[in-house]
């Protein structure tokens, strides 16, 4: 299955606006993939800040509050892998690890 999410123009690489757009796009993709065991995200990750934004978007987009529901519907996205040329960069790895901790604490 392939899910394409429109981001519009990604202006100002490295800016807060750019990263918020990445975060939102990743979140929309994660919500669209509810019920899917795993996914691969291929977004323009230029540095650790971008990687954190994509990670946060995937995790927060996968959040489902279902404590008071009798029918929980589809399960959230099970797992996600971010594909980037910077995947071996220590700062990127640290940013993703931090985003995972924050995402798990929120969820």
């Amino acid at each position: 299955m392939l899910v394409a999410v429109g981001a519009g123009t990604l202006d100002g690489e490295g800016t807060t606006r750019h990263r918020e757009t990445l975060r939102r796009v990743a979140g929309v993709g994660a919500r669209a993939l509810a019920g899917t065991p795993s996914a691969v995200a291929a977004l323009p990750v230029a540095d650790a800040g971008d990687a954190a934004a994509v990670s946060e978007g995937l995790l927060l987009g996968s959040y489902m509050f279902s404590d008071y529901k009798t029918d929980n519907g589809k399960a959230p996205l099970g797992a996600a892998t971010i594909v980037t040329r910077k995947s071996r960069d220590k700062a990127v790895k640290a940013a993703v690890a931090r985003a995972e901790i924050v995402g798990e604490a929120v969820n």
Side-chain angles (χ1 to χ4, degrees):
M1 174 187 306
L2 174 67
V3 174
V5 179
T9 303
L10 287 173
D11 294 329
E13 188 172 291
T15 63
T16 302
R17 182 177 179 191
H18 175 81
R19 291 188 176 139
E20 183 59 25
T21 301
L22 288 175
R23 189 176 292 108
R24 289 177 185 226
V25 166
V28 168
R31 284 189 298 280
L33 290 166
T36 305
S38 64
V40 175
L43 293 167
V45 174
D47 58 20
D50 290 353
V54 171
S55 299
E56 291 165 2
L58 289 167
L59 288 162
L60 297 175
S62 297
Y63 176 72
M64 290 185 162
F65 182 78
S66 59
D67 287 354
Y68 303 108
K69 293 183 178 181
T70 55
D71 179 17
N72 295 334
K74 292 181 181 178
L77 174 63
T81 301
I82 301 169
V83 177
T84 174
R85 294 173 298 178
K86 304 274 186 171
S87 62
R88 295 177 192 241
D89 186 291
K90 287 182 182 181
V92 168
K93 288 181 180 182
V96 170
R98 180 185 175 282
E100 287 176 351
I101 292 168
V102 171
E104 292 299 320
V106 170
N107 290 335

